[in-house]
Amino acid sequence: MTTTITFPISGKTFRQRATEEPAWVRYSLVTVALLFLTLFLFVPLISVFYEALKKGVDVYLAAITAPDAVSAIKLTLTVAAIAVPLNLVFGVAAAWSIAKFEFRGKNLLITLIDLPFSVSPVVSGLIYVLVFGLQGWLGPWLAEHDLKIIFAVPGIVLATVFVTVPFIARELIPLMQAQGTEEEEAAVVLGASGWQTFWQITLPNIKWGLLYGAILCNARAMGEFGAVSVVSGHIRGSTNTLPLHVEILYNEYNFAAAFAVASLLALLALVTLALKTLIEFRNKQHQTLRGDA
Amino acid sequence: MSIEVLSLSKQFGAFTALHDVSLQVHSGELLALLGPSGSGKTTLLRVIAGLETADSGQVLFHGEDATDQHVRDRQVGFVFQHYALFRNMTIFDNVAFGLNVRPKKFRPTQEEIRARVMKLLHLVQLDWLADRYPHQLSGGQRQRIALARALAVEPKVLLLDEPFGALDAKVRKELRAWLRRLHDDMHITSVFVTHDQEEALEVADRVVVMNEGKIEQIGTPDEVYEQPASPFVYEFLGNVNLFHSRLHRGRAWIGDLEVDAPEHAEAEELAAIAYVRPHEIEVTRESNGGSTLAAQVVHILSVGPIVRLELRRENDESINPIQVEISKERFRELKLVKGDKVFIKPKRLDLFPNHLTSNLTH
Amino acid sequence: MSTFKQHSILPGFNLALGFTLLYLSLIVLIPLSAAFIRTAELTWSEFWSIVTTPRVLASYRLTFGVSFAAALVNAVFGLLVAWVLVRYHFPGKKIVDALVDLPFALPTAVAGIALTALYSGNGWIGQHLKPFGIKVAFTPLGIFVALTFIGLPFVVRTVQPVLEDIEAELEEAAATLGANRWQTFTHIIFPVLFPALMTGFALAFARAIGEYGSVIFIAGNMPMISEITPLLIVTKLEQYDYAGATALSVVMLVISFILLLIINLLQWWNRRSTQA
């Protein structure tokens, strides 16, 4: 005997799509998600600007044009201007060797490039103290030659470079892997030199990925706190980056000034997100355009 | 279980997927929805299943309105082109899924489920794969499992969306014959969608030819092939030659050729297109009387039992040569070589006045 | 000839790989090895006594416990946010989608002072919690809030692409077989998302463990109560206790490497289960 099972056919009418949740479920889920994001993202973001401007525009402008703040801005820009290009060159070199060639130990190399992401910022700073600090390997030698790395700008640059090593490389590696080697091989077969191939074939193909990585790298370079805090020595007007300046002002209970300087960094974050979204949008359009052709 | 579709319409933005489509699927038959992509055949199938909701019209199962019934409650078996097997479940669990998700009251016991699943796996001849995962199976095997999974819930109707579309030619042919045998054993009302005319004509009891959201013709494979109801069906099903002609009071002229056209007795100086199948053209060396067309052999393809000739009429500007199919014996009799002059005469033709064919691309 | 590298007609391999290895060694590998080599100067029992004092153990418990709780909350809400962003339409969706990455882009110090201001007794949120006797800022709960903020994008960004790629056919198949939406989610969708969810969870957890900037402002930094391990490293460093700071950082590094290994395995699992 076969078991025949009949269902009660529900008489209610609903024109709900076959794989869609009922409207009340959809609205509740959207509401809960937005509440969560509001509480943990939007409110903190808005509060930065609110606190910055709470005491008026004059206080705000005074805070961000104070000599210490200006020198912090200058230092932050300097550090980023060194760290980003260095990691850009590294990212291109790493991606070129990893994406265009087959060699043993490649996966290990990729993991090593990602390593700084999994190291605590504090540890990232500490290891440079261990190498260059007074008690460190090179400390005595540096002291003899009157060179200062830790508690000085070079240390800040090194720590920043360390924490931002992976950004550009990890954007470029998958991009260049996906593009393959055919175009470069065609160029070489046609007689192009290595540099010609790179500048005229590879670089135009990866320029958006490069820019994307550079933007993220820059945001982190300008915003890094933990690693820089360990190596900086917190000397006002000389080894203070913007995030460190925020900390100093905050610890002095100068909240309006702290938030004013913080708002500059928050603006940087928003610009970063806007550029990032723009590039992603452009890539998506580009892909669908290619798909249609 | 019969299915009735009453004037369904469905719009996707500016695109009309279905335009006032009505259709009757008889209980126990195997029906093919045949048409090019964008003809609305898949949309029709999905509306019948309840996966898509029509803008207007009704779907009746066994005379009962099911239009507003959710797909879950329709008890349809649906087989997808790309199998849609659950990759995180074994083959056994895939087939058992529909039984396992039933409310407790209606759920068979685990032993009953096991028995039924194994019976179905036996039916599709894959019971030895019960513990495997979908990615370990070939395309043909996956589609058989998808069918077993659809059958496990004892559906009232079976709907298949391009079931063999993702398979290679050989497996396709095997599965086609297998589906036909399976249907003959089970007699479950089935509708399948295909864009492959050979598949539709070979497997189905009846074929529904669709184009641009409308039904062009419904009939047995013989009917739609031998008596196409519209220029579209003529061109979609098999090869066909097109001749420009003139209609006047029950007579038609193609160049020098004059034929009776009693169904167009009312026509007054009307331009028309004559449709002639390649195998319904008679080829002779001599002109016997006035009712023939002179042509020249431009190409001969003589592999296999059927010989294909490409002919070109004198002073003919058109790019497409006339396609003719004759038997090997006839070919030997005629002793044709390239460049020979021959006379041709359609054994059968259908005339469609130009205004009916204007929307087709030539 | 060794088979280290397969033949290719493209130039620049030696230069590019040479530079890559040199740069990586100078910037990453040699400094990292410094932590291990300096620690090796300690005897095992010295090392062990440094990394197991009650204050250090309390900091581990706090760091790992709160990081785990924050990653867990992020797993639940990250899945929800990813679902809502992929499946539903609502006004401002594109902006919300872009802002999910805010914790990646916002300097941690800024996040730290903003959250502290919000959750302190007279802050926008803190003042509403005060009547219920809930104190967030300067307590472990504050650390939880900061770590939840920091880890928020990870789960969303790992789950989102997998959810986008799930074929509609799978869900339709489940529906034709009589499954309701909840059954379809638990039996069909969730198993496909699970590896990505675990990857996102592990990434958020790993990030939270090392986090410093956003936490120190809101934590209160009371030894034994609200002092995280990274802060303890800084404290030891400021007291010129290099051996102690280095030993603790080695513990952190080893845990980071183990997590990195786990994350790599999870990503491999994720790729395998979405490709099959």
Side-chain angles (χ1 to χ4, degrees):
Chain A
M1 189 193 129
T2 54
T3 47
T4 315
I5 292 141
T6 47
F7 282 94
I9 291 170
S10 56
K12 63 181 170 193
T13 58
F14 50 100
R15 292 236 158 185
Q16 176 198 329
R17 282 215 47 191
T19 55
E20 205 172 58
E21 295 74 33
W24 68 268
V25 174
R26 296 203 303 268
Y27 289 125
S28 328
L29 292 180
V30 171
T31 309
V32 174
L34 289 181
L35 272 178
F36 173 76
L37 291 176
T38 305
L39 193 64
F40 278 94
L41 277 189
F42 308 144
V43 172
L45 179 64
I46 293 163
S47 79
V48 172
F49 294 100
Y50 173 80
E51 297 282 344
L53 293 164
K54 201 163 68 173
K55 298 240 168 93
V57 180
D58 295 343
V59 176
Y60 180 82
L61 289 177
I64 59 173
T65 53
D68 287 351
V70 171
S71 79
I73 293 172
K74 277 185 190 156
L75 179 58
T76 296
L77 292 175
T78 311
V79 169
I82 300 169
V84 176
L86 275 180
N87 282 328
L88 200 100
V89 172
F90 166 75
V92 171
W96 179 266
S97 49
I98 287 171
K100 304 289 179 188
F101 299 92
E102 287 306 320
F103 58 93
R104 276 194 292 174
K106 197 189 229 181
N107 286 330
L108 179 68
L109 184 59
I110 294 174
T111 309
L112 287 180
I113 291 172
D114 266 350
L115 206 56
F117 271 164
S118 56
V119 174
S120 169
V122 168
V123 177
S124 313
L126 174 84
I127 55 177
Y128 284 99
V129 175
L130 295 179
V131 177
F132 299 107
L134 261 180
Q135 315 283 318
W137 287 343
L138 300 178
W141 185 85
L142 288 168
E144 256 171 51
H145 294 80
D146 210 17
L147 293 169
K148 224 169 146 48
I149 289 185
I150 296 306
F151 306 140
V153 175
I156 296 177
V157 171
L158 279 173
T160 306
V161 169
F162 178 92
V163 295
T164 53
V165 158
F167 278 98
I168 295 168
R170 67 156 26 191
E171 283 308 321
L172 291 186
I173 292 168
L175 180 68
M176 282 167 73
Q177 276 175 334
Q179 285 170 350
T181 54
E182 272 184 23
E183 285 183 45
E184 281 84 5
E185 281 166 358
V188 170
V189 170
L190 290 169
S193 74
W195 286 114
Q196 283 172 324
T197 307
F198 176 75
W199 287 107
Q200 294 177 28
I201 310 297
T202 311
L203 201 59
N205 277 340
I206 60 169
K207 59 174 189 260
W208 290 102
L210 209 63
L211 185 63
Y212 189 89
I215 288 166
L216 297 184
C217 181
N218 178 64
R220 181 72 193 266
M222 291 190 172
E224 176 53 27
F225 178 77
V228 171
S229 165
V230 170
V231 295
S232 112
H234 306 272
I235 305 158
R236 279 185 92 141
S238 121
T239 61
N240 245 358
T241 61
L242 275 178
L244 297 177
H245 192 55
V246 169
E247 186 198 16
I248 288 184
L249 292 170
Y250 189 85
N251 287 343
E252 288 170 350
Y253 301 102
N254 192 350
F255 294 142
F259 276 102
V261 176
S263 76
L264 295 178
L265 291 167
L267 272 179
L268 169 74
L270 289 179
V271 171
T272 302
L273 290 185
L275 289 174
K276 177 178 170 292
T277 309
L278 221 67
I279 295 175
E280 280 166 4
F281 180 70
R282 193 209 144 272
N283 281 350
K284 219 173 236 172
Q285 275 196 325
H286 207 64
Q287 270 169 8
T288 45
L289 230 69
R290 275 189 181 173
D292 286 346
Chain B
M1 174 76 52
S2 66
I3 309 170
E4 209 169 336
V5 166
L6 296 174
S7 52
L8 282 181
S9 291
K10 173 82 183 174
Q11 198 89 19
F12 290 110
F15 177 73
T16 307
L18 292 175
H19 183 78
D20 197 22
V21 169
S22 296
L23 171 68
Q24 180 103 43
V25 188
H26 306 313
S27 190
E29 82 172 326
L30 178 55
L31 184 89
L33 298 178
L34 174 67
S37 60
S39 61
K41 56 192 191 304
T42 293
T43 306
L44 177 57
L45 191 80
R46 289 170 60 86
V47 171
I48 294 173
L51 290 171
E52 211 83 64
T53 316
D55 299 335
S56 60
Q58 280 182 298
V59 177
L60 277 61
F61 284 171
H62 204 65
E64 274 180 57
D65 190 357
T67 315
D68 289 323
Q69 212 177 26
H70 194 272
V71 53
R72 289 195 275 288
D73 306 319
R74 284 198 194 189
Q75 288 182 271
V76 295
F78 200 99
V79 176
F80 295 86
Q81 180 177 1
H82 297 286
Y83 334 121
L85 293 183
F86 307 133
R87 55 174 162 251
N88 54 305
M89 296 180 196
T90 61
I91 297 309
F92 181 92
D93 289 335
N94 262 280
V95 178
F97 181 81
L99 302 171
N100 278 326
V101 296
R102 284 186 180 173
K104 274 230 165 61
K105 288 195 281 185
F106 305 105
R107 195 184 307 161
T109 64
Q110 286 307 309
E111 294 85 70
E112 285 172 316
I113 291 178
R114 175 146 201 99
R116 197 188 297 177
V117 170
M118 291 317 289
K119 199 174 134 191
L120 279 164
L121 286 177
H122 187 72
L123 181 76
V124 299
Q125 298 153 9
L126 292 173
D127 38 357
W128 49 286
L129 290 175
D131 295 327
R132 303 277 181 90
Y133 283 88
H135 67 91
Q136 296 169 304
L137 271 60
S138 72
Q141 289 172 333
R142 287 187 213 186
Q143 198 54 296
R144 272 144 74 187
I145 296 301
L147 190 67
R149 182 179 71 177
L151 291 172
V153 293
E154 300 186 329
K156 295 187 282 191
V157 299
L158 188 61
L159 308 172
L160 306 99
D161 183 12
E162 300 259 5
F164 314 125
L167 303 169
D168 59 52
K170 189 170 170 288
V171 180
R172 226 178 146 111
K173 271 211 138 99
E174 285 167 17
L175 270 194
R176 212 189 269 170
W178 177 79
L179 177 69
R180 180 69 244 182
R181 282 200 305 277
L182 192 77
H183 183 266
D184 291 343
D185 291 344
M186 303 193 47
H187 280 297
I188 179 169
T189 311
S190 307
V191 181
F192 77 100
V193 157
T194 180
H195 62 264
D196 181 342
Q197 33 144 328
E198 197 186 316
E199 194 166 287
L201 298 179
E202 219 172 87
V203 178
D205 294 320
R206 285 196 307 151
V207 177
V208 177
V209 185
M210 295 190 67
N211 182 38
E212 293 181 340
K214 282 179 267 195
I215 291 177
E216 293 272 340
Q217 188 175 4
I218 307 177
T220 63
D222 259 357
E223 280 165 2
V224 293
Y225 190 79
E226 298 295 340
Q227 296 149 41
S230 69
F232 174 81
V233 180
Y234 240 123
E235 295 199 25
F236 194 69
L237 288 176
N239 291 331
V240 69
N241 293 298
L242 274 59
F243 295 93
H244 291 281
S245 68
R246 197 163 53 80
L247 265 177
H248 186 65
R249 296 191 179 167
R251 309 284 297 159
W253 289 266
I254 305 168
D256 296 336
L257 183 79
E258 189 183 343
V259 289
D260 280 333
E263 67 276 24
H264 295 286
E266 309 295 308
E268 292 277 349
E269 283 298 333
L270 210 57
I273 306 262
Y275 286 77
V276 187
R277 295 265 188 231
H279 65 275
E280 293 187 313
I281 292 177
E282 205 177 296
V283 182
T284 49
R285 281 260 183 205
E286 310 291 328
S287 161
N288 31 15
S291 264
T292 51
L293 287 172
Q296 199 179 17
V297 179
V298 291
H299 190 74
I300 298 170
L301 194 89
S302 62
V303 180
I306 302 290
V307 178
R308 294 199 171 88
L309 306 176
E310 285 186 2
L311 313 178
R312 194 171 285 283
R313 283 165 66 193
E314 283 158 1
N315 318 316
D316 188 16
E317 303 293 306
S318 87
I319 344 148
N320 298 324
I322 301 164
Q323 310 266 356
V324 179
E325 288 171 9
I326 55 175
S327 68
K328 203 112 199 190
E329 289 87 26
R330 180 73 185 140
F331 177 67
R332 289 203 186 104
E333 256 172 57
L334 289 167
K335 297 192 177 88
L336 287 175
V337 291
K338 198 167 156 183
D340 280 356
K341 200 178 166 189
V342 292
F343 295 91
I344 56 170
K345 183 180 178 174
K347 289 183 260 190
R348 208 183 80 84
L349 58 74
D350 272 314
L351 285 155
F352 296 98
N354 268 5
H355 62 88
L356 290 179
T357 63
S358 57
N359 60 343
L360 292 173
T361 47
H362 295 295
Chain C
M1 235 351 250
S2 80
T3 52
F4 165 65
K5 173 189 164 247
Q6 285 179 22
H7 177 74
S8 163
I9 65 158
L10 294 182
F13 175 74
N14 290 336
L15 178 67
L17 188 68
F19 178 75
T20 302
L21 292 177
L22 180 71
Y23 188 91
L24 214 52
S25 303
L26 288 178
I27 298 289
V28 179
L29 300 178
I30 294 173
L32 272 180
S33 68
F36 290 93
I37 294 168
R38 290 296 289 268
T39 302
E41 291 166 9
L42 299 171
T43 66
W44 177 253
S45 63
E46 279 171 334
F47 174 76
W48 191 250
S49 67
I50 290 172
V51 300
T52 56
T53 63
R55 187 172 165 188
V56 171
L57 288 177
S59 84
Y60 296 151
R61 273 195 296 274
L62 179 72
T63 307
F64 288 95
V66 178
S67 296
F68 189 83
L72 209 59
V73 166
N74 274 324
V76 174
F77 283 94
L79 177 63
L80 175 66
V81 170
W83 179 272
V84 164
L85 286 176
V86 173
R87 293 298 174 104
Y88 305 143
H89 295 278
F90 53 89
K93 180 168 135 171
K94 286 227 169 79
I95 294 172
V96 171
D97 196 350
L99 279 176
V100 164
D101 282 332
L102 184 72
F104 284 160
L106 192 71
T108 52
V110 178
I113 63 167
L115 291 171
T116 312
L118 281 176
Y119 285 92
S120 63
N122 52 6
W124 285 353
I125 299 173
Q127 62 180 324
H128 298 293
L129 298 172
K130 211 173 170 183
F132 302 100
I134 303 171
K135 274 190 72 184
V136 178
F138 318 121
T139 70
L141 203 54
I143 303 175
F144 166 79
V145 169
L147 295 182
T148 305
F149 174 86
I150 288 301
L152 197 146
F154 288 100
V155 173
V156 181
R157 293 303 185 225
T158 46
V159 170
Q160 209 172 6
V162 181
L163 195 54
E164 274 166 1
D165 284 350
I166 290 185
E167 306 96 311
E169 282 191 351
L170 287 179
E171 292 172 55
E172 289 176 352
T176 61
L177 294 168
N180 62 34
R181 284 305 286 162
W182 179 246
Q183 288 169 323
T184 306
F185 179 78
T186 53
H187 288 78
I188 312 297
I189 303 172
F190 190 74
V192 177
L193 296 182
F194 188 67
L197 189 66
M198 284 303 293
T199 308
F201 172 84
L203 286 169
F205 181 65
R207 173 70 203 267
I209 284 174
E211 180 55 21
Y212 174 72
S214 61
V215 175
I216 53 157
F217 294 98
I218 203 169
N221 307 328
M222 299 273 294
M224 306 298 293
I225 296 168
S226 57
E227 187 180 51
I228 53 167
T229 312
L231 177 68
L232 204 52
I233 295 176
V234 173
T235 309
K236 284 184 185 294
L237 204 57
E238 281 170 355
Q239 293 162 350
Y240 303 102
D241 178 5
Y242 285 90
T246 310
L248 271 187
S249 68
V250 163
V251 173
M252 295 286 288
L253 279 173
V254 169
I255 290 163
S256 303
F257 295 160
I258 293 169
L259 280 172
L260 187 66
L261 189 74
I262 292 174
I263 288 166
N264 276 341
L265 286 173
L266 283 170
Q267 275 167 341
W268 172 80
W269 181 32
N270 189 6
R271 266 197 304 278
R272 204 190 60 159
S273 72
T274 49
Q275 274 168 4

